[in-house]
């Protein structure tokens, strides 16, 4: 039996709403809110909910959504109707195509995951939490007046705007396999938010097609946002050792130079090996080490979800990362508890499947040591221009 106790000396809050999990993007769409049900079942079967303050989050208000999104976009999002279910052509505001379909309850879905991230950010602002978690958030592609890549409302931008009311500097870190373009764009011209995304980059061949190493902020003279966007473009097959080394090296240097007073970590689980859309060989352990590293900095931390298209691996990663937040990771039996709901979905019955168990045949690692060293030295140069 796992005996999970509350962490000593700090507080963790968990923000979720079971209504979110009931939404469907449509048949065969890779984004499955049901993965949250699987993750929650695993978190609770280990007993981790007893060690956190758990909140059923509310819907974000119209006013809160308007902190970032335009009124006309929100009007459209609220009234958009499911017209032609199988039409793959995106319409106004990029809504209604195959990536961002209009489905039953769409506006409520958006308001709920945004409400959870806003609630979580407020807990950090009030010092009522040291680590706040919203696994249903992390929808980093949404723009001020446009849906993009399965994202309609940008809960991360809304949460960072809350944090900026109390915090002079916020560091945003994004380990989703895709570039965190929406968050980067929203804070492109300010030096109060540094954005750092690690992602697969292959020119226009991998969504969203932005995030090359030289995309570092506006290059106009005297713009405060200059140098405050950091991009780590990666190739297929990166492994735990390389990924964790890059993460610690780069995040460490960003924290030294920028001195953030709050950190938001987007924990997109599509950077894991075996993801339906991803291309990396990162394992649950390496992904979790990134969370552990952020926690070790002792700076108020907001954890949000993001991508993740092989539900059993999403659930494993976010359950493991919840245990890291609580500090009970060493106490968990890696064997998934017998009473876990949908336990039959977790092939091999372990939190930490091997690469062979996940993939069958491994994916070729196209990231050379030379390329990774080059990335680190370019970013180190870039950070010479950054001061707290
Ligand atoms: C699908 O099978 O690269 C959507 C999307 C729906 C169901 C049936 C429709 C079949 C893969 C993806 C047609 C699908 C055509 N269905 C999708 C340029 C694209 C235009 C749309 O993790 N087609 C667009 C978005 C990316 C593109 C990734 C990641 C979000 C996040 C944060 C967003 N869009 C090419 C693809 C399927 C589908 C199968 C799909 N879409 C894979 N990659 C994309 O960063 C949450
Ligand atoms: Ca990313
Ligand atoms: Zn993604």
């Amino acid at each position: 039996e796992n005996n999970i106790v509350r962490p000593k000396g700090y507080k963790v809050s968990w923000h979720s709403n079971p209504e979110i999990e009931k939404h469907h993007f449509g048949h065969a769409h890779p984004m499955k809110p049901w993965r949250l049900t699987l993750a929650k079942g695993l978190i609770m079967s280990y007993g981790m909910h007893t060690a956190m303050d758990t909140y059923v989050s509310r819907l974000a208000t119209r006013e809160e959504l308007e902190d970032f999104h335009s009124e006309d976009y929100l009007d459209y999002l609220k009234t958009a109707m499911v017209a032609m279910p199988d039409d793959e052509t995106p319409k106004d505001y990029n809504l209604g195509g195959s990536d961002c379909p209009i489905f039953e309850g769409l506006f409520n879905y958006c308001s709920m995951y945004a409400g959870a991230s806003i609630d979580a950010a407020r807990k950090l602002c009030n010092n009522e939490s040291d680590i706040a978690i919203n696994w249903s958030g992390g929808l980093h592609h949404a723009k001020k007046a446009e849906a993009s890549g399965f994202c309609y409302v940008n809960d991360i931008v809304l949460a960072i705007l809350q944090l900026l009311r109390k915090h002079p500097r916020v560091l945003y870190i994004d380990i989703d396999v895709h570039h965190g373009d929406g968050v980067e764009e929203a804070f492109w011209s300010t030096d109060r938010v540094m954005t750092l995304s690690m992602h697969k980059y292959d020119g226009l061949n991998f969504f969203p097609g932005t995030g090359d190493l030289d995309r570092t902020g506006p290059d106009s003279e005297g713009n405060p946002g200059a140098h405050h966007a950091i991009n780590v473009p990666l190739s297929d097959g990166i492994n735990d050792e390389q990924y964790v080394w890059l993460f610690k090296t780069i995040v460490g240097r960003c924290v030294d130079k920028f001195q953030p007073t709050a950190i938001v970590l987007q924990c997109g689980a599509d950077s894991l090996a075996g993801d339906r859309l991803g291309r990396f060989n990162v394992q649950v352990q390496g992904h979790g080490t990134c969370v552990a590293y952020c926690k070790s900095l002792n700076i108020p931390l907001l954890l949000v979800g993001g991508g993740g298209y092989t539900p059993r691996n999403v659930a494993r990663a976010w359950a493991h990362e919840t245990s890291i937040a609580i500090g009970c990771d060493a106490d968990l039996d890696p064997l998934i508890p017998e009473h876990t709901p949908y336990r039959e979905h977790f092939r091999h019955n372990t939190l930490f499947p091997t690469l062979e168990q996940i993939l069958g045949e491994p994916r070729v690692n196209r990231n050379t040591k030379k390329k990774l060293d080059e990335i680190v030295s370019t970013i180190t140069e870039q950070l010479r221009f950054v001061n707290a």
Side-chain angles (χ1 to χ4, degrees):
E1 263 305 297
N2 300 284
N3 186 23
I4 308 300
V5 295
R6 283 184 176 264
K8 292 199 172 59
Y10 68 100
K11 287 185 93 175
V12 181
S13 59
W14 183 28
H15 304 261
S16 67
N17 187 329
E19 292 299 310
I20 298 174
E21 304 154 25
K22 298 178 186 158
H23 293 82
H24 296 276
F25 281 59
H27 177 69
H29 195 287
M31 178 55 100
K32 304 198 181 304
W34 179 81
R35 69 205 174 121
L36 298 166
T37 311
L38 206 58
K40 183 175 66 183
L42 196 51
I43 289 166
M44 293 183 68
S45 76
Y46 276 113
M48 291 188 250
H49 54 298
T50 62
M52 303 183 274
D53 294 327
T54 60
Y55 297 95
V56 176
S57 53
R58 59 186 178 83
L59 279 74
T61 65
R62 167 85 190 196
E63 205 181 11
E64 287 168 337
L65 296 173
E66 282 178 11
D67 277 346
F68 178 53
H69 295 284
S70 74
E71 294 194 39
D72 55 326
Y73 174 55
L74 293 171
D75 287 339
Y76 191 87
L77 194 61
K78 193 173 172 108
T79 56
M81 300 291 275
V82 189
M84 306 259 278
D86 291 319
D87 191 347
E88 285 177 22
T89 322
K91 300 287 170 345
D92 297 332
Y93 307 98
N94 198 34
L95 278 168
S98 47
D99 272 358
C100 301
I102 297 162
F103 53 83
E104 183 78 42
L106 173 61
F107 194 77
N108 270 337
Y109 165 78
C110 296
S111 304
M112 282 189 280
Y113 74 70
S117 287
I118 294 168
D119 279 353
R122 290 209 179 121
K123 282 278 158 205
L124 297 174
C125 285
N126 300 339
N127 299 315
E128 287 178 64
S129 303
D130 299 287
I131 305 178
I133 304 174
N134 172 22
W135 295 130
S136 68
L139 299 166
H140 57 181
H141 298 305
K143 310 286 160 38
K144 177 186 168 83
E146 196 181 279
S148 172
F150 320 160
C151 306
Y152 304 82
V153 160
N154 200 317
D155 63 292
I156 305 168
V157 171
L158 296 172
I160 292 174
L161 290 171
Q162 290 294 324
L163 292 171
L164 288 173
R165 294 178 174 201
K166 281 277 169 61
H167 287 275
R169 289 176 305 281
V170 177
L171 173 61
Y172 171 66
I173 310 169
D174 184 317
I175 60 171
D176 190 288
V177 76
H178 298 97
H179 177 221
D181 59 347
V183 185
E184 180 185 88
E185 184 181 297
F187 299 110
W188 188 246
S189 295
T190 176
D191 55 4
R192 291 185 60 201
V193 179
M194 174 177 276
T195 60
L196 160 58
S197 175
M198 299 175 60
H199 43 264
K200 177 180 163 64
Y201 179 78
D202 185 14
L204 285 175
N205 295 320
F206 193 75
F207 188 88
T210 48
D212 204 357
L213 188 55
D214 62 6
R215 182 180 170 91
T216 60
D219 45 23
S220 53
E221 193 77 38
N223 191 313
H227 317 295
H228 284 71
I230 295 174
N231 282 297
V232 182
L234 301 168
S235 304
D236 288 3
I238 192 167
N239 61 29
D240 267 11
E241 197 196 344
Q242 293 174 318
Y243 196 89
V244 168
W245 176 76
L246 273 176
F247 186 92
K248 289 185 178 176
T249 307
I250 296 170
V251 173
R253 289 178 195 184
C254 289
V255 170
D256 280 349
K257 295 290 290 191
F258 183 63
Q259 299 276 311
T261 60
I263 296 179
V264 178
L265 177 59
Q266 196 264 23
C267 303
D270 49 6
S271 44
L272 294 171
D275 188 80
R276 180 176 159 192
L277 300 189
R279 308 289 182 87
F280 293 168
N281 283 352
V282 173
Q283 294 179 261
V284 172
Q285 293 92 322
H287 205 267
T289 302
C290 298
V291 177
Y293 183 77
C294 289
K295 181 189 168 185
S296 76
L297 298 166
N298 286 316
I299 297 169
L301 178 62
L302 173 55
L303 298 177
V304 293
Y309 306 102
T310 301
R312 58 182 178 276
N313 294 336
V314 178
R316 285 177 168 116
W318 293 347
H320 176 54
E321 287 158 17
T322 303
S323 78
I324 289 168
I326 297 168
C328 67
D329 45 307
D331 305 324
L332 297 192
D333 185 342
L335 191 68
I336 289 173
E338 289 290 348
H339 60 281
T340 302
Y342 308 101
R343 189 172 189 262
E344 64 280 9
H345 286 256
F346 298 99
R347 256 181 265 162
H348 311 291
N349 297 332
T350 170
L351 265 190
F352 306 109
T354 62
L355 275 183
E356 292 68 35
Q357 286 172 332
I358 301 164
L359 292 168
E361 56 186 285
R363 189 190 291 280
V364 178
N365 185 350
R366 305 222 174 265
N367 299 273
T368 60
K369 171 87 176 108
K370 181 166 173 285
K371 181 70 194 153
L372 301 187
D373 285 340
E374 222 172 273
I375 291 172
V376 167
S377 67
T378 304
I379 291 173
T380 304
E381 269 305 293
Q382 176 186 344
L383 288 172
R384 291 179 50 220
F385 298 98
V386 171
N387 301 298

